[in-house]
Amino acid sequence: MPSPPPPPSPFAAATLTPGAAASLLARCASRAAAAALHARLLRCSHAFFRSPYLANCLGAAYSRLGAAPHAVALLRSAAAKPNVFTHNILLSALLGSGRLEDARRLFDGVAKRDAVTYNAMLSGYAAAARPDEALRLFCSMGEHGVRPTGFTFSIVSSAVGSARHGRQLHAASVRHGMTHFDAVVGNALIDMYRRIGLLRHAACVFSCLEEPDVTSWNSVMSVYKDQALSSNVFECFWSMRSKGFSVDGFSVSTVLSACSDAKDFAKGDQVLALCVKMSFLTNSIVCSAVIDFLCLSDRLPDAAHLFRGMPTWASEPCNALISGYARDGLMEEALNLFVASMRNGVVPTEFTFASVLRWSSCFGLMEQGTQIHCLICKLGFQDDVIVSTALTDMYCKLGLTRHARKIFRTVVAKDLVLWNTMLLGLSQNGRGKEALGVFRRMLKCGIQPDRITLFGALSACSLEGLVTEGMDIITLFKDRYHIMPSLEHYTCVVDTLCRAGMLREAVNFVENKLPKFSDATFSNILEACIIQGNISMAELVAEKMVVQKSRSSLPYIILAQTYGARCKWEKMAGVWRSMENQRAKKAQSCSWLCIKNHIYVFTSEQILHHGQGATYEVLDLISWDMMDQPKKSEGVGCLQLFSD
């Protein structure tokens, strides 16, 4: 019995109508399927070339499936007369294949443009990081009578980088009546204002929205979190839930981060319970926020237990736990987790490298830091500005400013954080003139400085003793950038005056500029008095600090020694009593030592972990040798001791 004939193919030319072909093209899930259907359509050329409809559908399918060059070749060779849809599809295909200039020439040659045409070209400029062209094109829309859509404002808002352009775009959206009623436009404006630093404007946009959605609530909570307004974040979260909105992973992770920033662990535990109740812990973003919260609330074992219970490893929880380990001084565990995450298939992100490099530099781990740098180059992250900033910071903290400057110069698009990192790194390494040179170049590049920039510039002036230039910088920041100096900035000015030997002017500056007593600032002046040998000024400053009931031990010790040298025993005893009553203590510091793969942290009162017996025996022998041997043979005795 002969076998039945095979069923007709859905691509058979006899069964394909233009509508059926268009439906099949919309459902194509691979380039091969689109190419097979294309071959069938070519067999019935009368149906294919009669109108541009099927050519547009096929071009859109190719473009959607990542074969933009095929779409370009098809649409340019089609015999049918192109229409506005053909131009829009061809424009998107050219942009998808990276041919921005060709797309612009096509755009300029199109006689009839609609909002889709402009949106495609605007998306191309935004993706190519060419905001000026995007803004000019947006302005020309109105001149040609094309009304922008909500998607238009979303695209342009992503290209805005200045406050002036942001306000202009906001005004245009108000004129078109989209700010209050279109949540998509409102969300785009909130995100834009947050990115350019106008956080109050972002909150105002949210308050004017008639019908905010979940994204709107999440965006404004992020704005309040950036402003460190934790109470506003909590209020938004409760309002969001009370109005019937369903919170998502981004909502709870933002609130948990706010709890961590505010050290409000009671509210954090409530949010953590909500995460467990709603099964949010399977979300890697939420899990990373929970791990960070547990680490900051001194529950590192719980954070590690949660991490080990995750079904799959992800980069965000790994980053959070690495930071938690390093924050507690467990750098060995942090590096081990970093290595284990890569062995488990987790590709490090720029935030992973930033976290590891930050803590490696804090512990002075030069060898590990350079190894991580090699890995960064191997994985191709050396051009990322976040990673470059972390590398610059690491090398500055390790004292390798030449390496830091080399990395800094290779970054093409330097942001404010990278400029500040280089500025502070040079200042911390005693290179004040170089730091001021970086500061001047930063202002010439048009970078908007912030408070950290002011601190770095004043620190550089302090190193060089440039009093006049430091005052000019403060005036510049007040008048041009509207940044008022705070206590840390005034402390830099005081250090500058002290280094210049202007101790009396430093005391007058503190008393006139600071609204209340600053223990740290007066301590700096007192130390400068001692270094410069100005005993009378040191006594005056120490008396001021004792009257203000300072918690530092330095002024009490200075006054007690001064009174003792003058045989004023009662005053000396009174100073010691005041020191006891105030419980003044010397600041306790620590040191760390890296031996192979182990890091040991210890204070001056602690016994060394390794070889303490032999160490103290050698120290006793050296002490005995220095005290008992004749002066001229002291050096010989020590050398003989070590040679034996």
Side-chain angles (χ1 to χ4, degrees):
M1 183 177 179
S3 59
S9 169
F11 290 170
T15 61
L16 273 181
T17 63
S23 178
L24 287 172
L25 285 169
R27 297 179 185 179
C28 283
S30 66
R31 299 182 194 177
L37 186 53
H38 186 187
R40 290 289 181 180
L41 289 170
L42 287 174
R43 293 184 181 180
C44 48
S45 58
H46 63 284
F48 181 66
F49 294 111
R50 186 175 301 154
S51 71
Y53 174 65
L54 285 180
N56 292 344
C57 293
L58 186 55
Y62 275 135
S63 183
R64 173 174 55 84
L65 297 171
H70 292 70
V72 173
L74 169 71
L75 293 173
R76 282 189 165 171
S77 63
K81 185 178 179 180
N83 55 22
V84 65
F85 301 103
T86 309
H87 290 142
N88 291 343
I89 296 169
L90 181 56
L91 188 63
S92 298
L94 287 170
L95 293 169
S97 57
R99 297 161 63 178
L100 183 60
E101 301 305 326
D102 291 342
R104 181 63 201 225
R105 281 191 288 271
L106 172 65
F107 178 87
D108 292 336
V110 175
K112 186 178 180 181
R113 306 171 193 148
D114 58 4
V116 178
T117 314
Y118 277 94
N119 289 346
M121 199 66 229
L122 287 169
S123 299
Y125 280 133
R130 293 168 65 171
D132 294 336
E133 288 90 339
L135 293 170
R136 282 196 292 268
L137 184 62
F138 173 73
C139 294
S140 71
M141 287 184 71
E143 298 172 2
H144 290 85
V146 180
R147 181 180 175 82
T149 64
F151 187 55
T152 309
F153 285 102
S154 299
I155 298 168
V156 179
S157 66
S158 65
V160 170
S162 67
R164 181 171 64 89
H165 289 152
R167 294 191 186 98
Q168 289 175 349
L169 182 65
H170 188 183
S173 67
V174 172
R175 285 197 303 270
H176 287 86
M178 294 186 179
T179 305
H180 297 168
F181 305 102
D182 193 328
V184 175
V185 176
N187 297 341
L189 291 174
I190 292 172
D191 184 68
M192 177 196 70
Y193 278 132
R194 180 193 176 197
R195 191 180 64 255
I196 62 180
L198 298 178
L199 303 180
R200 290 200 303 177
H201 290 67
C204 290
V205 172
F206 173 79
S207 63
C208 293
L209 280 175
E210 294 288 337
E211 296 182 359
D213 56 11
V214 175
T215 305
S216 309
W217 286 99
N218 290 343
S219 299
V220 77
M221 282 194 291
S222 297
V223 169
Y224 286 134
K225 179 183 173 298
D226 291 345
Q227 289 181 293
L229 299 174
S230 302
S231 58
N232 294 68
V233 176
F234 302 145
E235 183 180 348
C236 281
F237 185 70
W238 308 137
S239 299
M240 180 180 178
R241 298 198 68 200
S242 64
K243 293 181 179 180
F245 288 92
S246 179
V247 298
D248 56 11
F250 189 87
S251 310
V252 294
S253 61
T254 303
V255 177
L256 266 176
S257 298
C259 294
S260 300
D261 295 341
K263 301 294 187 294
D264 194 337
F265 303 127
K267 282 190 175 69
D269 287 335
Q270 295 176 8
V271 179
L272 179 57
L274 179 64
C275 292
V276 175
K277 180 181 178 181
M278 301 185 71
S279 302
F280 278 144
L281 294 183
T282 56
N283 185 315
S284 61
I285 302 296
V286 176
C287 194
S288 64
V290 171
I291 289 174
D292 188 59
F293 169 74
L294 292 173
C295 291
L296 288 171
S297 57
D298 296 328
R299 287 178 280 180
L300 184 57
D302 294 338
H305 178 73
L306 173 63
F307 179 82
R308 286 192 294 269
M310 293 180 60
T312 57
W313 288 44
S315 60
E316 294 85 1
C318 287
N319 295 344
L321 190 55
I322 287 170
S323 296
Y325 277 137
R327 195 183 295 114
D328 278 17
L330 304 173
M331 197 60 208
E332 184 179 351
E333 286 80 354
L335 292 173
N336 288 339
L337 178 58
F338 174 68
V339 175
S341 65
M342 289 192 294
R343 288 175 179 169
N344 280 272
V346 178
V347 179
T349 65
E350 61 273 22
F351 301 105
T352 311
F353 286 119
S355 179
V356 175
L357 288 170
R358 174 192 175 193
W359 295 109
S360 295
S361 60
C362 289
F363 283 88
L365 304 179
M366 183 184 300
E367 182 179 354
Q368 287 83 349
T370 52
Q371 289 176 355
I372 295 170
H373 188 182
C374 293
L375 180 61
I376 287 169
C377 295
K378 182 179 179 180
L379 296 178
F381 280 94
Q382 66 272 15
D383 295 329
D384 186 271
V385 68
I386 296 176
V387 177
S388 298
T389 302
L391 284 170
T392 304
D393 179 63
M394 180 194 74
Y395 281 122
C396 285
K397 287 179 178 176
L398 294 175
L400 304 173
T401 55
R402 182 170 61 88
H403 295 72
R405 287 197 302 270
K406 183 177 179 181
I407 294 170
F408 179 77
R409 286 194 296 267
T410 58
V411 180
V412 179
K414 300 178 181 68
D415 61 0
L416 175 61
V417 180
L418 180 56
W419 282 101
N420 285 344
T421 301
M422 193 72 249
L423 175 61
L424 291 173
L426 291 171
S427 298
Q428 291 164 359
N429 282 276
R431 299 179 177 272
K433 291 182 179 178
E434 294 180 32
L436 288 173
V438 170
F439 171 68
R440 296 186 189 101
R441 290 201 305 273
M442 172 185 169
L443 296 184
K444 285 183 180 178
C445 291
I447 303 295
Q448 185 81 10
D450 61 359
R451 293 181 174 276
I452 299 175
T453 314
L454 176 58
F455 177 78
L458 291 176
S459 298
C461 293
S462 174
L463 288 170
E464 301 298 327
L466 302 174
V467 178
T468 304
E469 189 159 354
M471 296 300 183
D472 291 342
I473 288 174
I474 286 183
T475 304
L476 172 69
F477 273 72
K478 284 181 179 177
D479 297 342
R480 181 180 298 179
Y481 302 111
H482 308 291
I483 297 176
M484 302 302 295
S486 58
L487 175 61
E488 60 181 2
H489 303 120
Y490 286 132
T491 302
C492 287
V493 175
V494 171
D495 290 340
T496 307
L497 293 169
C498 291
R499 286 176 185 269
M502 305 168 66
L503 300 175
R504 171 64 67 179
E505 289 82 353
V507 174
N508 295 337
F509 182 86
V510 171
E511 291 178 340
N512 294 331
K513 289 291 184 181
L514 300 189
K516 59 182 181 179
F517 171 76
S518 173
D519 201 356
T521 306
F522 272 105
S523 295
N524 292 345
I525 299 176
L526 183 55
E527 290 175 0
C529 294
I530 297 170
I531 292 172
Q532 298 178 23
N534 194 331
I535 304 302
S536 59
M537 182 60 67
E539 184 178 354
L540 174 65
V541 174
E543 287 177 350
K544 288 179 179 292
M545 295 179 70
V546 170
V547 169
Q548 294 292 336
K549 299 180 180 180
S550 171
R551 299 294 298 273
S552 171
S553 62
L554 183 61
Y556 301 96
I557 295 172
I558 296 297
L559 277 183
Q561 291 176 347
T562 304
Y563 292 147
R566 299 175 183 175
C567 299
K568 297 181 179 180
W569 311 118
E570 291 185 3
K571 287 190 174 182
M572 185 178 74
V575 169
W576 290 126
R577 283 195 299 271
S578 299
M579 182 175 174
E580 280 186 30
N581 294 336
Q582 296 301 321
R583 298 179 180 178
K585 293 182 180 180
K586 184 179 179 181
Q588 193 66 258
S589 58
C590 66
S591 301
W592 55 83
L593 183 66
C594 180
I595 302 176
K596 293 184 179 180
N597 294 325
H598 296 276
I599 301 169
Y600 302 97
V601 182
F602 52 90
T603 63
S604 57
E605 286 124 7
Q606 290 178 318
I607 298 176
L608 292 175
H609 293 275
H610 285 283
Q612 60 266 27
T615 301
Y616 285 111
E617 287 176 5
V618 171
L619 290 174
D620 289 339
L621 286 171
I622 293 174
S623 178
W624 170 80
D625 185 71
M626 294 174 65
M627 288 187 297
D628 294 347
Q629 296 296 326
K631 285 187 177 181
K632 58 183 178 181
S633 63
E634 281 183 2
V636 177
C638 290
L639 288 174
Q640 289 176 346
L641 177 65
F642 282 108
S643 64
D644 294 339

